[in-house]
């Protein structure tokens, strides 16, 4: 029997990732000037993919890096997948628009119902899209505009789509993410807290929150896997010692710390580096 | 629709006489008439003699049912209506008249036989015909009737009919005046697309027609539904049950549609499959028309459940179902691909009963973000097109498909409209000091009013425990009295638990609306047995299982959270606590009046009950009675099913509205019966005075100020911020345990002892200066009372009779005040941007009049000796649109303490009201409330807004 509507939040079978081009070091977009060590970044990324594939047993689709697309490792921005529908975005940064091509092909390959954002006035980065299992929040940021959010709402008609202004940081998910069904992990900065308030006000649902001292540490990957239960991939104690401690409160979660020290220099967070999807036999 | 035992016999007699007459008539009748009559006759013969002959089949069904059939249920819903209704007075007359008629009837029997035959007979026949096949065109019947009406002696006809109807539809008839008995034919489009035609008297109220439809559908859980009509502008409007149909439809187009009005957030909590089935039909239509948007997969899933419910298991041998599936509409843009997906999913539902398929359908549909959201076009201050969505949880603001703001009911202090503007006043956030008002522009004032009404109704239905009493029965209420008049969700759930009938058989008619191509397909008729079998248990059991459903559990959690909040806050809000402690008069009032909108005391009481089964039983019985007596008494229903309501009950207690209520249980236990009955009859509940000027021009509604549960009622919705705010407000009214006890204590000692009462207050609250008191008030209150600028009535509630030394001048004759209101026009990102404040100074033409009534004795006792002021306090309590400011002073003079209560009541509303009567009522109430005090002075200050003629 078909799964009911809005069931199975965090159930994933597949992950799409992409390699790191050497051009990342010098050409990838970043909000703060920083030296990036590509080798270290690749090592981090390998650990990340290893966790998805080996530790968690997901089918990982690895797209090859493209030197002409320095930011291509951050696949999250190129597509939003929910259920069996995938929305190919129109990234806010002009230089990143072509990243969607490989993503579209991969998603079609996986037999998803692919919807494209063709409207030239629309921009949307996947990093601005927070899906809670019951609804979407779309950050209106430097990269994402109202029109982009509207198209997303059109693509996922079952769900409420609310907009949240992103005052600081690159993306909405630069300071928050889901830590479980109904659990929002949120940074403690003022803009982050403000955004949370707005999300709570806009929602018909009630969310618990886990506040972590560092905004960047609030970006985690939550999964609910059949053989592992609740899983949370989060920052390491080396990076954010205080925040890492907070995750220990999540007693039911299998906690997997992942280092993200290099990618963060080019505004890459944990969620940025993969697109997760659920491909069951019946879909 | 209700049969009264007494009148039934009357009818029977007549029916027999008439039936004799009819045999003759049918021979003589005109061809057209005869056709119809014969059809009717045939049917009648099958069904036997006497009254049944006169009843449409649906009515017979009712009759054969157990006690809790709708027949029995009608009165409660109706009671308040008829109370509100000034025509109430006519009711006995109508009955009396009916008897008279009966006598005449016997005399005139032959006469009528000879010349009123056509009309007298075709009518019932016509009705049965409708019953027999709703699809058949009724034109012939109508025609006949019209002809009859014209040709025959009208008086005769009317008498005939009146008699029949008076007895048969006893209670709804109350809604009908006696003198004009012209009948009109109403066409109601039902959810399955079929037409239901029935006759109502021209002056019948909406409720009458609605009940007729519900009876036809055999629907008991009717509170989720309503009738709509199209106004001049082709806008769909809800038919107000309390008003005459004729006055609402205007264009003399008696065409209606039966629709879901309040979408239950959790359809699994509905008691009967038939209710769920009807909800499914509505949702299928909503989905197919695109009103309820959903994704491809969801369309397919919902469509597959529809197939399962309507045609049963997928049969591989059947001719390719694709042949008919493409004639069914599941989605606005239905593709071949979708149809295939639907069929594929349909296969997977094998073995599912229709009722189960409906449940699955609803379980999925209810999760859709637009489920139950009623959208209205509007513009924000910048003229940007937006949509306002009213739903169970509050008001949603959409721009295109995006939700850009949301105002949960607990956040909204006031809802109003003025001309084509619609305003909501928002509770200040934790960081803000003042409430803000958000305004929206609607197309015209008509749409503003419609939106306002929908808000009032949705708020009442989903957030209140019991509806506010419509203002009419009170004193000095002006304005159009629009309030939600039906039962609230809570009440209807409670009432549903009383449903004790075998699951009614109903036919799933393969959605005529969707397509008629399935007419040849096997009909699935669910019988009692099949239903019981499929559920594996009986309906009662189901109810119990309901109580364990997750929703309830959540409620429980909420309770815990809130009780914590309450305790935490206790210290901080002393002022507010005190304020409420001081509202003794209100407390008392609520003791004296069995006020329907006062769930909590009952709930507290319930706790006692749960421990004593015997009492519980008693209550249960009582409840049934009450149900019939007063619809407003939700609380009664609460008592019915302790197991189910336990959590809710606690929530309510925690949420604590008015202390007075919380304190009531002690007494409630003692005088339960009398109290409730008296209360229902006397209509004394002043706290729910609401003025809602529904003057087409403007109106307001204060969702959060009134007395019932609300905040905790919809658990999912607790938002942190809100909670905090709520906490502030609630704790104000909650003044936790001690006061309740105190109040109860007072009550025990002697409720009528005003003196005592006040001491109690004094003790509770050592020193409270008048200056301090305003802190306890919520700031918006003052604004509110004046903004509607229509009428003020100061009222001296009562004075201590023991010592009457100082005369306090209670004078409310202030100059007319025109308050300016801060209006923040919402912009697209109201939630996000800082608000732009604009000031609107309404221009109001007013007329002011001040009248003072003084008791003679007062002059003597004058201001002689000043005495020592012990305490003075001012309490402002606000209920809906009425603000009551109570000023209590205690002075000590020569060892005697004197307590003086000044009450200032501001009522707003529009102008058709008998002021003298209202005043008399007010004084009477005051006396009743404080029997041992005397009213010494009454000042009426009337300020009337000069009528602006506007639609």
């Amino acid at each position: 029997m078909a799964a009911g509507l809005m069931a199975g939040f965090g159930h994933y079978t597949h992950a799409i990732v992409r390699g790191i081009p050497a051009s990342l070091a010098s050409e990838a977009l970043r909000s703060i000037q920083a030296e990036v060590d590509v080798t270290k970044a690749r090592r981090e990324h390998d650990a990340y993919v290893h966790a998805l594939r080996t530790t968690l047993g997901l089918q990982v689709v690895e797209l090859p890096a493209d030197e002409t697309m320095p930011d291509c490792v951050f696949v999250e921005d190129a597509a939003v997948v929910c259920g069996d529908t995938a929305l190919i975005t129109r990234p806010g940064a002009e230089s990143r628009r072509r990243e969607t091509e490989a993503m579209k092909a991969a998603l079609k390959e996986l037999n998803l119902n692919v919807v494209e954002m063709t409207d030239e006035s629309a921009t949307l980065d996947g990093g601005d899209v927070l899906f809670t299992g019951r609804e979407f929040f779309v950050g209106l940021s430097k990269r994402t505009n109202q029109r982009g959010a509207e198209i997303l709402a059109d693509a996922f008609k079952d769900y409420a789509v609310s907009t949240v202004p992103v005052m600081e940081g690159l993306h909405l998910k630069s300071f928050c993410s889901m830590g479980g069904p109904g659990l929002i992990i949120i940074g403690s900065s003022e803009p982050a807290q403000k955004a949370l308030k707005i999300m709570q006000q806009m929602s018909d649902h009630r969310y618990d929150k886990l506040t972590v001292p560092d905004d960047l540490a609030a970006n985690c990957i939550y999964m609910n896997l059949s053989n592992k239960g609740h899983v949370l991939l989060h920052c390491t104690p080396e990076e954010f010692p205080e925040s890492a401690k907070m995750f220990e409160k999540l007693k039911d979660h299998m906690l997997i710390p992942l280092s993200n020290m290099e990618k963060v220099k080019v505004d890459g967070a944990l969620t940025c580096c993969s697109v997760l999807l659920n491909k069951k036999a019946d879909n | 629709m209700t049969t009264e035992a007494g009148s039934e016999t009357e009818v029977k007699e007549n029916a027999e006489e008439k039936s004799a007459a009819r045999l003759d008539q049918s021979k003589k009748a005109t061809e057209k008439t005869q056709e119809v009559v014969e059809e009717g006759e045939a049917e009648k013969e099958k069904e036997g003699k006497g009254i049944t002959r006169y009843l449409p089949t649906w009515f017979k069904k009712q009759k054969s049912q157990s006690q809790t059939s709708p027949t029995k249920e009608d009165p409660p819903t109706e009671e308040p209506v008829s109370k509100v209704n000034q025509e109430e007075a006519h009711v006995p007359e109508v009955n009396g008249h009916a008897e008279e008629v009966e006598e005449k009837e016997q005399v005139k029997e032959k006469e009528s036989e000879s010349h009123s035959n056509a009309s007298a007979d075709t009518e019932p026949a016509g009705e049965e015909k409708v019953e027999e096949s709703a699809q058949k065109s009724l034109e012939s019947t109508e025609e006949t009737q019209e002809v009859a009406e014209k040709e025959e002696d009208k008086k005769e006809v009317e008498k005939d009919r009146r008699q029949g109807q008076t007895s048969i539809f006893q209670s709804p008839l109350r809604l009908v005046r006696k003198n004009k008995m012209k009948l009109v034919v109403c066409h109601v489009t039902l959810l399955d697309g079929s037409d239901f035609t029935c006759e109502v008297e021209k002056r019948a109220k909406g409720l009458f027609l609605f009940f007729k439809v519900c009876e036809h559908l055999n629907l008991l859980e009717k509170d989720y539904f309503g009738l709509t009509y199209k106004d001049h502008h082709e806008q769909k409007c809800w038919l107000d049950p309390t008003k005459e149909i004729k006055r609402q439809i205007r264009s003399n187009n008696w065409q209606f549609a039966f629709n879901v009005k309040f979408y239950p957030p959790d359809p699994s909590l509905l008691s009967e499959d038939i209710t769920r089935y009807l909800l499914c039909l509505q949702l299928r239509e909503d989905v197919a028309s695109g009103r309820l948007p959903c994704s491809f997969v969801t369309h397919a899933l919902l469509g597959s459940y529809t197939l399962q419910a309507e045609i049963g298991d997928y049969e591989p041998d059947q001719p390719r179902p694709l042949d008919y599936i493409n004639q069914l509409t599941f989605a606005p843009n239905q593709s071949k691909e979708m149809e295939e997906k639907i069929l594929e999913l349909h296969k997977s539902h094998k073995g599912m009963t229709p009722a189960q398929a409906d449940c699955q359908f609803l379980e999925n549909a209810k999760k859709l973000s637009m489920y139950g959201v009623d959208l209205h076009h509007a513009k924000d201050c910048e003229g940007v097109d937006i949509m306002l969505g009213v739903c169970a949880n509050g008001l949603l603001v959409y721009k295109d498909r995006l939700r850009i703001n949301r105002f949960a009911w607990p956040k909204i202090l006031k809802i109003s409209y003025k001309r084509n503007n619609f305003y909501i006043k928002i509770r200040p956030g934790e960081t803000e000091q003042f409430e803000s008002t958000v305004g929206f522009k609607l197309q015209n004032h008509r749409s503003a009013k419609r939106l306002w009404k929908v808000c009032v109704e949705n708020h009442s239905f989903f957030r209140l425990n019991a509806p506010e009493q419509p203002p009419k029965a009170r004193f000095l209420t002006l304005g159009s009295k629009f309030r939600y008049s039906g039962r609230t969700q809570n009440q209807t759930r409670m009432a549903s638990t009383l449903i004790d009938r075998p699951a009614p058989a109903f036919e799933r008619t393969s959605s005529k609306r969707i397509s008629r191509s399935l007419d040849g397909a096997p009909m699935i008729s669910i019988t009692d047995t099949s239903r019981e079998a499929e559920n594996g248990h009986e309906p009662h059991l189901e109810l119990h299982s309901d109580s364990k459903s997750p929703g309830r559990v959540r409620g429980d959690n909420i309770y815990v959270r809130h009780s914590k909040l309450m305790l935490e806050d206790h210290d901080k809000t002393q002022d507010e606590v005190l304020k409420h402690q001081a509202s003794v008069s209100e407390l008392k009032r609520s003791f004296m009046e069995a006020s329907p909108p006062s769930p909590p005391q009952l709930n507290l009481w319930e706790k006692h009950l749960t421990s004593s089964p015997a009492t519980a039983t008693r209550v249960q019985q009582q409840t049934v009675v009450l149900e019939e007596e007063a619809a407003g008494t939700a609380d009664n229903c609460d008592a019915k099913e302790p197991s189910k309501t336990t959590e809710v009950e606690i929530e309510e207690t925690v949420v604590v509205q008015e202390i007075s209520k919380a304190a009531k249980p002690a007494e409630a236990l003692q005088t339960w019966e009398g109290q409730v009955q008296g209360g229902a009859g006397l209509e004394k509940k002043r706290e729910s005075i609401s003025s809602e000027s529904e003057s087409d021009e403007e109106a307001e509604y204060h969702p959060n100020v009134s007395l019932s549960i609300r905040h905790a009622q919809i658990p999912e919705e607790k938002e942190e911020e809100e909670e905090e705010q709520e906490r502030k407000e609630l704790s104000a009214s909650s003044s936790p345990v001690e006061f309740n006890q105190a109040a109860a204590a007072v009550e025990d000692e002697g409720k009528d002892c005003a003196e005592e009462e006040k001491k109690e207050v004094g003790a509770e609250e050592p020193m409270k200066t008048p200056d301090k008191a305003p802190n306890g008030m919520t700031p918006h209150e003052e604004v509110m009372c004046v903004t509607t600028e229509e009428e003020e009535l100061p009222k001296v509630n009562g004075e201590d009779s023991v010592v009457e030394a100082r005369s306090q001048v209670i004078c409310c004759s202030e100059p007319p005040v025109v308050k300016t209101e801060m209006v923040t026009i919402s912009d697209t990102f109201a939630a996000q941007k800082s608000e732009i404040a604009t000031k609107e100074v309404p221009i109001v033409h007013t007329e002011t009049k001040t009248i003072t009534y003084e008791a003679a004795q007062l002059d003597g006792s004058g201001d002689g000796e000043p005495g020592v002021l012990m305490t003075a306090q001012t309490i402002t309590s606000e209920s809906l649109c009425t603000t009551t400011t109570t000023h209590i002073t205690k002075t000590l003079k020569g060892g005697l303490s004197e307590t003086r209560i000044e009450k200032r009541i501001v009522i707003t509303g529009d102008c058709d009201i008998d002021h003298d009567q209202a005043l008399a009522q007010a004084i009477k109430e005051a006396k009743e409330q404080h029997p041992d005090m005397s009213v010494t002075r009454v000042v009426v200050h009337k300020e009337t807004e000069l009528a602006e003629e506007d639609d």
Side-chain angles (χ1 to χ4, degrees), chain B residues 35-255:
Chain B
E35 207 182 299
V36 181
V37 171
E38 271 170 4
E39 209 173 327
E41 287 293 327
E43 178 114 8
K44 277 169 205 155
E45 244 140 60
K46 276 181 236 155
E47 282 154 5
K49 288 185 183 178
I51 186 171
T52 47
R53 214 174 306 207
Y54 273 82
L55 306 179
T57 48
W58 49 265
F59 183 71
K60 284 171 204 151
K61 256 184 243 160
Q62 286 306 327
K63 276 198 66 190
S64 63
Q65 272 155 12
S66 58
Q67 293 188 338
T68 41
S69 73
T71 323
K72 293 282 173 184
E73 260 195 10
D74 293 348
T77 338
E78 226 170 313
E79 207 76 11
V81 175
S82 49
K83 268 181 220 147
V84 175
N85 180 0
Q86 284 184 324
E87 291 161 29
E88 192 187 15
H90 293 295
V91 173
E93 282 174 47
V94 171
N95 291 337
H97 188 76
E99 277 161 42
E100 271 173 42
V101 175
E102 191 195 343
E103 287 168 28
K104 284 181 206 161
E105 190 68 43
Q106 286 165 355
V107 180
K108 290 183 184 170
E109 195 58 56
K110 297 226 163 143
E111 221 178 76
S112 73
E113 175 189 324
S114 53
H115 68 171
S116 77
N117 50 7
S119 54
D121 284 327
T122 36
E123 188 198 341
E127 262 183 327
E128 290 192 1
K129 195 183 167 197
V130 174
E131 227 352 88
E132 194 177 285
S133 125
Q135 279 163 311
K136 258 189 202 170
S137 157
L138 284 152
E139 275 168 28
S140 65
T141 322
E142 287 162 46
E143 242 176 84
T144 323
Q145 217 172 281
E146 268 168 44
V147 172
E149 269 180 41
K150 280 173 201 158
E151 289 177 1
E152 300 298 329
D153 177 349
K154 274 193 180 173
K155 277 188 182 173
E156 285 297 323
V157 172
E158 275 173 20
K159 271 179 199 163
D160 259 4
R161 282 186 182 146
R162 203 182 314 147
Q163 185 172 13
Q165 291 214 353
T166 314
S167 336
I168 295 172
F169 308 115
Q170 178 256 324
S171 50
L173 237 230
R174 294 184 186 185
L175 311 171
V176 180
R177 288 216 182 123
K178 70 164 189 181
N179 22 4
K180 276 229 170 178
M181 291 306 192
K182 231 181 144 191
L183 293 171
V184 281
V185 177
C186 297
H187 298 272
V188 183
T189 307
L190 302 179
L191 288 167
D192 62 2
S194 64
D195 261 333
F196 168 67
T197 309
C198 69
E199 283 184 327
V200 299
E201 290 190 353
K202 209 163 182 185
R203 314 200 63 163
K205 308 236 158 169
L207 193 63
F208 181 82
L209 179 61
F210 179 64
F211 276 11
K212 273 198 148 189
V213 176
C214 290
E215 298 235 13
H216 167 72
L217 292 167
N218 205 3
L219 173 67
L220 291 189
E221 294 177 285
K222 41 177 147 5
D223 304 289
Y224 301 95
F225 301 85
L227 293 175
T228 58
Y229 64 93
K230 291 251 175 83
D231 70 6
H232 289 326
H233 310 268
E234 284 298 297
Q235 282 286 353
K236 217 176 79 171
C237 301
W238 291 107
L239 190 68
D240 187 335
T242 64
K243 289 188 180 159
E244 284 182 20
I245 300 171
K246 191 175 58 132
R247 300 198 175 216
Q248 301 180 62
I249 56 171
R250 284 174 182 176
S251 51
N252 216 20
N253 172 21
W254 295 71
Q255 185 76 47

Side-chain angles (χ1 to χ4, degrees), chain B residues 260-480:
Chain B
V260 173
K261 187 173 192 181
F262 305 112
Y263 290 74
D266 191 351
S268 66
L269 294 180
L270 295 174
S271 286
E272 296 201 300
D273 284 342
I274 190 167
T275 318
R276 267 188 289 272
Y277 169 66
L278 292 171
L279 178 58
C280 275
L281 289 179
Q282 174 74 66
L283 286 165
R284 284 176 199 166
E285 164 67 13
D286 291 348
V287 168
S289 66
R291 259 198 310 279
L292 179 57
C294 51
S295 65
F296 176 88
V297 187
T298 306
H299 273 306
L301 186 63
L302 295 178
S304 67
Y305 288 125
T306 300
L307 277 191
Q308 183 68 24
E310 297 215 340
I311 67 170
D313 286 352
Y314 173 83
E315 297 279 351
D317 328 332
Q318 267 173 15
R320 268 301 267 164
L322 267 181
D323 297 342
Y324 62 76
I325 195 176
N326 56 22
Q327 293 172 43
L328 297 172
T329 313
F330 296 104
N333 303 306
Q334 189 168 318
S335 59
K336 201 93 208 143
E337 195 192 355
M338 182 179 291
E339 286 165 11
E340 272 161 16
K341 184 82 183 168
I342 290 172
L343 284 176
E344 183 193 321
L345 291 170
H346 179 210
K347 287 177 203 168
S348 68
H349 304 324
K350 211 162 192 163
M352 205 179 269
T353 66
Q356 285 169 335
D358 280 350
C359 283
Q360 287 302 314
F361 180 98
L362 294 174
E363 280 308 293
N364 285 286
K366 76 172 187 195
K367 292 179 191 159
L368 295 167
S369 80
M370 299 305 283
Y371 173 84
V373 179
D374 183 13
L375 287 178
H376 298 251
H377 287 281
K379 286 185 197 299
D380 67 9
C381 65
E382 288 155 6
V384 177
D385 283 312
I386 53 162
M387 297 288 265
L388 293 175
V390 185
C391 67
N393 296 332
L395 190 65
L396 302 164
V397 187
Y398 293 91
K399 181 166 184 304
D400 298 308
R401 286 193 181 282
L402 297 175
R403 185 183 290 184
I404 55 171
N405 212 339
R406 173 176 175 274
F407 304 98
W409 292 127
K411 273 219 93 169
I412 301 177
L413 292 169
K414 184 171 98 178
I415 309 166
S416 57
Y417 73 94
K418 188 158 196 167
R419 297 186 192 91
N420 65 334
N421 296 306
F422 174 78
Y423 302 109
I424 48 175
K425 188 182 272 183
I426 309 299
R427 189 185 299 281
E430 33 186 69
T431 53
E432 301 143 5
Q433 283 210 302
F434 303 103
E435 63 271 8
S436 52
T437 299
V438 182
F440 301 96
K441 281 230 176 302
L442 279 97
Q443 276 158 331
N444 48 46
H445 90 264
R446 188 186 302 274
S447 16
K449 180 180 177 182
R450 190 170 51 240
L451 171 60
W452 179 80
K453 278 184 161 187
V454 169
C455 284
V456 169
E457 294 195 308
N458 271 269
H459 173 265
S460 301
F461 185 80
F462 290 111
R463 302 287 300 174
L464 300 189
N465 226 15
E468 291 132 19
Q469 291 300 301
K472 185 83 175 221
R474 308 293 114 100
F475 58 96
L476 289 191
T477 334
L478 307 173
S480 89

Side-chain angles (χ1 to χ4, degrees), chain A residues 1-6 84 134-135 140 146 149-150 153-154 157-163 165 197-198 200-206 209 282, chain B residues 293-295 297-298 301 305 345 348-349 352 364 367-369 393 399-406 430 561 716 718-721 723 829 832:
Chain A
M1 205 183 94
L5 188 55
M6 303 187 192
D84 62 357
R134 290 305 300 268
E135 64 193 310
L140 298 179
Q146 183 93 6
E150 276 167 27
D154 245 355
K157 290 200 183 74
D158 293 348
Y159 299 95
V161 179
S162 307
T163 53
K197 282 256 153 6
I198 291 170
Q200 286 172 329
Q201 185 193 324
M202 300 280 253
S203 176
D204 296 324
H205 307 288
R206 190 182 159 69
K209 61 169 178 178
D282 64 2
Chain B
C294 51
S295 65
V297 187
T298 306
L301 186 63
Y305 288 125
L345 291 170
S348 68
H349 304 324
M352 205 179 269
N364 285 286
K367 292 179 191 159
L368 295 167
S369 80
N393 296 332
K399 181 166 184 304
D400 298 308
R401 286 193 181 282
L402 297 175
R403 185 183 290 184
I404 55 171
N405 212 339
R406 173 176 175 274
E430 33 186 69
R561 239 186 28 245
E716 314 90 275
K718 296 278 117 188
E719 280 133 298
E720 220 178 279
E721 192 190 340
E723 264 162 36
F829 299 98
Q832 299 143 25

